[in-house]
Amino acid sequence: MDTSLSAQVFNTKEKTEPLTAVDSRNNRGDVIANQAIEPRLNRIITRKFDFHIIPWLFGIWLLAFIDRSNIGNARIDGLAEDLELDGTKFNIALTVFYIPYILIDVPSNWVVKYFGANYYLPGLLIAWGFVGMCTGFVKDYGGLLACRFFLGLCEGGLLGGLVLYLSMFYRRHELLFRIGLFYCAAPLSGAFGGLLATGLARIRHNGYNRWPWIFIVEGAVTVAYGLVTVWFLPATPSNATFLTEAEREAAVHRMGLDAHGASKESKVESERFSWHWVRMAILNVNTIVLSLNYFAIITPIYSFSLFLPTIISNLGYDSVKAQLFTVPPNMAGFFAVILCTFLSDQIKGRGPIMLGCCSIAIIGYIMLLIKTTPLVHYGGTFLVAAGVFPSAPAVLGWLANNLAPHYVRATGTGLQIAVCNCAAFIATFTYLEKDKPDYTTGHSINLGMLVLSLALSTTHILYVKWENRKRENGGRDYRLDKGDEGMLGYKHPSFRYTI
């Protein structure tokens, strides 16, 4: 880097120590004195990433959730009758989706950087959009199962890929709010999907009546969006064409500072795959506990997304009103995700947000369980949405913050999503026909999962505080004498876990 460029990127008047130096950290692991990057330039970089990346990821996740859960809308618009989905056939169709979805998570994360996330993520989008369109043409139960299987195969690597992609551009305590900015599309998809399904289900053309058009039109929109997105996403900070040369230098350098010794490479594209990183990801307390925690959170999220129209229709409303009444609770979840992820980055903590959100959702399920009026039950769905939807990005960001470098994070995040999606085998059978209209069993299962999440979050907060104190007091410095410091990753004594 030449002298003039260095003056633009680094605040050399305020900090004369080597650029790799880190002065001090608080007990959450954030850098207290980090003036190597000029603050104004740092803000410009972050805003440009927000403008050029986040809107595209929001659209991708919105379409993913619409295409995944629109089967719930189609069910009450004639799908169950036309394909004779009696008994547990509908639940089995939901479950088939998650078999390839789970198996593909980890290997998909390994190849994101190899193919380039700017091509890989839109490619997934185009593939599942095509499968979604095909679902509208199925004539029997077997065809539905085949489409759900391939839909899961195409969508399986998406969430881990999105989180991994963002972690290449944003520092650890900027990350969760950005995850929240795209993840809030999940509850919004429930609101938007319900409105869209209401309109599309009125179409009757050429022998295809009502529900097929939900899949055909929404799938076509997904394919078109994927074809557009591939032209706009950057692969890594170092080749983001919307940044100036000085901004690219600073973007790469700030990620090196944020690694706190966990990576010896200055650029993410320079890191190489090694089974050493895979073992480190798997044999990690954070990966194990936060994967189980995500499992507990995703159970109510999936069952809520898939069965909310059914739950509301059993409160005594017809299919059109049931579709429309799904909108307000999902909007509550949408705003809760944005608010909670913003607060989480402000306090630089994930666990406290998890505790608060789980408590709110627990109150919601208690309202659904008690024998009372439909209005109170409907009010409970608002609290459930406002509690469970923010918990998902919080637990995702918690693990992403505490794993480094890239391939450790790729493996751990992929494993976390694979483990959590095993909850789908529970979620798709929580609300059975025989349990309506109260669905006491389903609500009780989800309530129990949220209590489990509370316990896991509390335990992990205590563990992270203990481990950070050990590192602050020099209790992990011996690791520096045991070989290549660049292979320590998150075990480096300078690396601090996020609470």
Side-chain angles (χ1 to χ4, degrees):
M1 183 189 304
D2 61 49
T3 305
S4 61
L5 185 57
S6 178
Q8 297 177 57
V9 176
F10 304 117
N11 190 350
T12 53
K13 291 183 179 180
E14 294 184 38
K15 189 175 182 75
T16 58
E17 292 85 349
L19 293 175
T20 55
V22 177
D23 290 334
S24 58
R25 301 174 181 84
N26 64 17
N27 64 352
R28 291 187 293 259
D30 50 309
V31 179
I32 295 174
N34 177 10
Q35 297 297 326
I37 304 297
E38 201 278 319
R40 180 175 171 275
L41 180 59
N42 190 63
R43 289 194 297 272
I44 290 172
I45 293 168
T46 301
R47 287 169 185 166
K48 284 191 175 183
F49 285 157
D50 289 345
F51 180 78
H52 288 276
I53 295 175
I54 299 300
W56 295 107
L57 302 194
F58 175 88
I60 289 174
W61 193 238
L62 174 68
L63 293 171
F65 239 80
I66 288 176
D67 291 339
R68 179 189 312 179
S69 57
N70 57 10
I71 190 172
N73 301 111
R75 182 190 191 186
I76 63 175
D77 279 311
L79 174 71
E81 292 80 7
D82 290 352
L83 300 187
E84 299 179 353
L85 303 182
D86 53 353
T88 59
K89 284 185 177 180
F90 179 76
N91 304 81
I92 293 171
L94 298 181
T95 304
V96 165
F97 170 90
Y98 292 101
I99 297 172
Y101 192 100
I102 291 166
L103 295 176
I104 202 68
D105 277 318
V106 174
S108 177
N109 270 11
W110 288 343
V111 302
V112 166
K113 187 164 70 70
Y114 178 81
F115 289 112
N118 54 323
Y119 296 120
Y120 186 71
L121 297 177
L124 294 178
L125 189 67
I126 294 167
W128 90 64
F130 177 75
V131 174
M133 290 176 62
C134 292
T135 308
F137 296 99
V138 301
K139 298 296 184 181
D140 54 34
Y141 181 54
L144 179 64
L145 293 181
C147 286
R148 294 295 294 179
F149 178 88
F150 285 106
L151 187 67
L153 183 66
C154 296
E155 279 199 38
L158 181 66
L159 180 55
L162 292 175
V163 173
L164 193 62
Y165 180 60
L166 286 178
S167 70
M168 299 179 192
F169 293 87
Y170 292 98
R171 294 177 297 178
R172 291 196 301 156
H173 296 130
E174 298 172 334
L175 181 63
L176 188 63
F177 181 51
R178 275 72 194 185
I179 294 176
L181 286 177
F182 84 75
Y183 200 91
C184 66
L188 186 63
S189 73
F192 182 69
L195 291 172
L196 190 59
T198 302
L200 293 175
R202 295 178 179 272
I203 301 175
R204 289 169 169 79
H205 179 70
N206 201 27
Y208 294 94
N209 302 321
R210 303 177 66 196
W211 66 266
W213 294 103
I214 296 176
F215 295 111
I216 294 169
V217 173
E218 291 176 357
V221 170
T222 299
V223 171
Y225 188 85
L227 292 171
V228 174
T229 303
V230 74
W231 294 99
F232 293 97
L233 288 180
T236 61
S238 61
N239 60 24
T241 56
F242 51 82
L243 299 179
T244 65
E245 185 181 353
E247 290 165 353
R248 283 194 292 270
E249 290 278 1
V252 171
H253 182 71
R254 71 176 192 163
M255 296 306 295
L257 288 176
D258 195 54
H260 306 320
S263 176
K264 60 183 178 181
E265 301 292 347
S266 60
K267 296 183 178 180
V268 66
E269 55 263 45
S270 300
E271 295 184 27
R272 294 291 177 262
F273 178 83
S274 168
W275 289 106
H276 166 77
W277 300 129
V278 175
R279 288 191 296 272
M280 282 189 64
I282 296 172
L283 303 176
N284 181 289
V285 173
N286 288 274
T287 303
I288 296 168
V289 174
L290 295 179
S291 294
L292 293 174
N293 201 337
Y294 198 15
F295 176 92
I297 287 297
I298 212 69
T299 304
I301 287 179
Y302 279 167
S303 59
F304 183 85
S305 300
L306 293 169
F307 291 100
L308 182 60
T310 302
I311 293 170
I312 293 176
S313 67
N314 278 285
L315 294 179
Y317 303 103
D318 60 34
S319 65
V320 174
K321 287 185 177 179
Q323 300 280 26
L324 294 175
F325 280 1
T326 63
V327 175
N330 279 298
M331 290 305 299
F334 170 81
F335 289 113
V337 170
I338 295 176
L339 175 62
C340 292
T341 54
F342 175 77
L343 290 176
S344 183
D345 271 353
Q346 292 300 302
I347 67 172
K348 297 181 172 64
R350 314 307 184 209
I353 297 296
M354 292 284 295
L355 296 179
C357 289
C358 285
S359 299
I360 291 171
I362 285 172
I363 296 172
Y365 275 112
I366 291 173
M367 291 172 65
L368 286 168
L369 280 167
I370 59 177
K371 301 291 185 181
T372 183
T373 64
L375 184 62
V376 173
H377 286 159
Y378 185 56
T381 65
F382 282 78
L383 296 184
V384 171
V388 297
F389 279 114
S391 298
V395 74
L396 271 170
W398 202 355
L399 183 60
N401 281 175
N402 290 348
L403 296 180
H406 174 83
Y407 282 107
V408 176
R409 188 179 297 114
T411 304
T413 301
L415 184 62
Q416 181 190 35
I417 295 171
V419 169
C420 87
N421 279 302
C422 292
F425 301 117
I426 299 174
T428 52
F429 287 93
T430 52
Y431 294 100
L432 301 176
E433 282 291 312
K434 65 183 181 66
D435 295 327
K436 69 178 186 181
D438 294 330
Y439 293 112
T440 301
T441 301
H443 296 330
S444 299
I445 290 171
N446 290 328
L447 178 61
M449 285 295 179
L450 289 167
V451 171
L452 174 60
S453 178
L454 274 179
L456 290 170
S457 297
T458 302
T459 303
H460 200 59
I461 289 172
L462 296 176
Y463 164 74
V464 166
K465 287 185 174 180
W466 172 81
E467 178 62 26
N468 282 348
R469 281 196 299 269
K470 291 280 288 185
R471 298 185 183 198
E472 288 165 2
N473 296 330
R476 304 302 187 203
D477 288 352
Y478 67 89
R479 293 172 177 169
L480 297 173
D481 302 322
K482 287 193 169 184
D484 186 356
E485 183 178 336
M487 300 299 286
L488 287 175
Y490 63 80
K491 292 184 178 181
H492 197 285
S494 296
F495 189 83
R496 299 289 184 272
Y497 289 140
T498 298
I499 294 175

